[in-house]
């Protein structure tokens, strides 16, 4: 349920999420060296180095940042050990009170989307019982297959108080190739926005927002402004602030007048703050997270 | 490289692929019981049951069917143990001479797609060396993010003789909601088809086909016919035959006059043939695979 995220955002007065996209290059040398010495230059070594990295960031951020967003690709690339690290990272973040948005961009035909929904937002049947595979609070979802590819995720949200963010207008440079095509006087991303609104209509929480949210890139502020109007009750996950070029004034377009309606992600600028500004990994990340929070709040 | 797949298709005179989407309900009772008794009603128990199921199918099919297509969702839902089962399944299929098309429908912004491409089609850097996380021959990819979300996969194909199939027109009922919107006189799936053609233009192999292929559902034969003309050098992965409703005459539209150009997937009808027609899991699957092959060859 989006309410859980909104409560955390309000409590910390901070509408931002820290992306955990841990390339090995971002991990401090001594941390990497220690893990490789203990476990070898293996996936297990990398997984331990990254887990240590993530825990340090979570420790440094958990009292001021409401959520983390691990990006699945950066764990899958380290194989089973990488996925172990993802699972441990999610558990650690939740234990420390953070909301976990898993950025996996899943989406398939109905029966398969249902399996993904069970994997990340629900439980899997096992003989007479059931168990959770990767228990995120929220998942990013790709809309290209239409309603029957997204509904199973929305159903799992309803059943388990979880959330999804559906890709509407992504932050990357070539997002316009398909998303900005015009059909019947409307952009494709506007058609998707209308579907997102529909998919989430039955899942509005106590703060007036739906558990079916939208991904809207900070790099396209004009489009964000238009989308904000189409989807007044939809929460936006806003990537592209910082390293990708989005400014506070740009991300402000994704918020409603109630100061809610969007959560802004930064990954590299927080994870790599120590490389750019010096200081320890945790201290530098915290400083940058505070700077980012204040920058965004000042623009609202 | 698509050449490797085409050689296997020619060698076996069989343009089909067996989907491995192993719901626990599909696994024979005694196989499930044995695994749960040994490993408990746990993810590990499920993973062993499914691995046994998959190996039995691979043993029964590997001399007549050129490829398998595991669907990631059905492994991710069993957690780390499920992903172990996926890895073992892929290794076992390759050891038995089958081409592995991993159906994961990944796609993200450039840097993240690169991480996914390394995870499934390439190798991950680890200190001074590198290692393969999940070594598929081929991966399905979602095009919603445009060129910079797909190019990293195509680059990995070029570097490692691998392939991708990009979603163009999917087999599910609501695929038309976005894919059939019309822009500038062309359907969105036609726009995607033109991009797919462009992405694969530099990767044409010795048989005249590109390593960047397209997913085109058997349930939309008219659209397949149009797409066949737009993308003459693109291999089609055709889901939707059998249980989803596609007939041999429908899938025939996806082939070129050279008898090549498409590989047709069936999952449930093969995996569950023993439930429908009796006989052992392996024998029934083999009978159904032969029936399917002959049915499709007779329509070409």
């Amino acid at each position: 349920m989006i309410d859980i995220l909104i409560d955390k955002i309000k409590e910390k007065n901070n509408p931002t999420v820290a992306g955990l996209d841990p390339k090995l290059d971002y991990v401090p040398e001594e941390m990497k060296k220690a893990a490789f010495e203990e476990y070898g230059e293996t996936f297990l070594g990398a997984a331990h180095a990254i887990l240590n990295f993530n825990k340090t960031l979570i420790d440094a951020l958990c009292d001021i940042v409401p959520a983390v967003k691990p990006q699945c690709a950066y764990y899958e690339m380290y194989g089973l050990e990488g996925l172990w690290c993802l699972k441990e990272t999610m558990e650690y973040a939740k234990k420390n009170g953070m909301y976990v948005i898993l950025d996996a961009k899943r989406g398939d035909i109905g029966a398969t989307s249902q399996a993904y929904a069970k994997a990340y937002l629900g439980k899997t049947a096992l003989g007479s019982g059931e168990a959770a595979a990767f228990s995120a609070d929220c998942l990013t979802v790709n809309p290209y297959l239409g309603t029957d590819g997204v509904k199973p995720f929305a159903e799992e949200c309803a059943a388990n108080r979880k959330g999804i963010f559906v890709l509407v207008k992504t932050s990357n440079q070539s997002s316009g190739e398909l998303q900005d095509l015009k059909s019947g006087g409307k952009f494709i991303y506007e058609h998707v926005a209308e579907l997102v609104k529909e998919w989430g209509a039955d899942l509005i929480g106590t703060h007036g927002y739906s558990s079916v949210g939208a991904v809207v890139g900070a790099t396209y502020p004009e489009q964000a402004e238009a989308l904000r109007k189409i989807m007044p009750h939809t929460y936006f996950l806003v990537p592209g602030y910082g390293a990708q070029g989005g400014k506070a004034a740009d991300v402000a377009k994704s918020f409603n007048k109630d100061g809610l309606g969007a959560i802004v992600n930064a990954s590299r600028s927080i994870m790599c703050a120590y490389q750019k500004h010096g200081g320890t990994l945790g201290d530098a990340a915290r400083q940058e997270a505070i700077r980012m929070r204040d920058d965004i709040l000042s623009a609202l």
Side-chain angles (χ1 to χ4, degrees), chain A residues 23-294:
Chain A
K23 289 195 180 184
L24 216 41
D25 291 346
Y26 299 168
V27 178
E29 274 310 318
E30 65 277 20
M31 210 176 252
K32 226 166 15 190
K33 207 179 147 206
F36 279 159
E37 273 178 13
E38 189 164 354
Y39 302 100
E41 287 190 353
T42 59
F43 287 139
L44 189 63
H48 276 279
I50 290 168
L51 183 57
N52 195 357
F53 178 75
N54 287 348
K55 284 184 171 178
T56 305
L57 290 171
I58 290 166
D59 287 342
L61 301 174
C62 66
D63 62 324
I64 52 167
V65 177
V68 288
K69 182 176 75 67
Q71 166 52 258
C72 256
Y74 294 101
Y75 301 87
E76 293 177 23
M77 75 188 293
Y78 297 103
L80 299 177
E81 293 82 356
L83 287 152
W84 165 79
C85 171
L86 172 64
K87 210 173 144 88
E88 293 289 316
T89 296
M90 294 200 298
E91 290 311 316
Y92 194 78
K94 288 199 287 185
K95 214 178 67 186
N96 282 278
M98 298 182 98
Y99 189 84
V100 176
I101 302 167
L102 184 61
D103 195 357
K105 299 187 175 60
R106 297 299 195 262
D108 212 295
I109 64 168
T112 305
S113 279
Q114 198 175 39
Y116 279 129
K118 298 268 179 216
Y120 295 103
L121 303 173
K123 287 184 173 172
T124 302
L126 283 170
S128 54
E130 55 179 15
F134 296 95
S135 198
D137 295 308
C138 188
L139 188 73
T140 58
V141 169
N142 187 306
Y144 190 67
L145 285 91
T147 298
D148 62 29
V150 177
K151 271 281 174 191
F153 292 104
E155 284 161 14
E156 213 60 48
C157 289
N160 304 315
R161 295 176 53 79
K162 304 279 181 156
I164 55 172
F165 287 105
V166 180
L167 303 186
V168 174
K169 174 67 185 165
T170 57
S171 62
N172 59 314
Q173 218 181 337
S174 59
S175 72
E177 286 173 9
L178 294 178
Q179 297 164 27
D180 293 3
L181 290 175
K182 237 175 170 170
S183 177
K186 283 183 288 195
F187 294 107
I188 295 301
Y189 63 78
E190 292 176 316
H191 286 277
V192 177
E194 281 166 9
L195 287 169
V196 166
K197 198 169 145 179
E198 195 184 308
W199 294 329
D202 295 337
L203 293 170
I204 309 277
T206 55
H207 297 292
Y209 290 97
S210 172
S211 293
V212 176
V215 175
V216 177
T219 42
Y220 299 103
E222 278 171 48
Q223 289 85 339
E225 203 167 5
L227 289 167
R228 189 66 283 174
K229 282 177 193 141
I230 297 172
M231 300 181 281
H233 301 289
T234 304
Y235 232 80
F236 289 8
L237 171 62
V238 183
Y241 173 87
Q244 282 184 60
K247 305 261 177 291
D250 300 329
V251 306
K253 311 279 190 199
S254 285
F255 286 81
N256 274 322
K257 289 201 178 116
D258 59 4
L260 296 173
I263 183 161
V264 182
N265 179 76
S267 303
R268 223 180 320 156
S269 57
I270 292 177
M271 288 186 295
C272 300
Y274 79 100
Q275 292 177 342
K276 195 168 169 190
H277 307 295
T280 67
L281 169 63
D283 287 346
R286 187 179 174 89
Q287 287 310 313
E288 172 57 21
I290 291 170
R291 194 207 57 75
M292 177 189 177
R293 177 196 67 193
D294 294 345

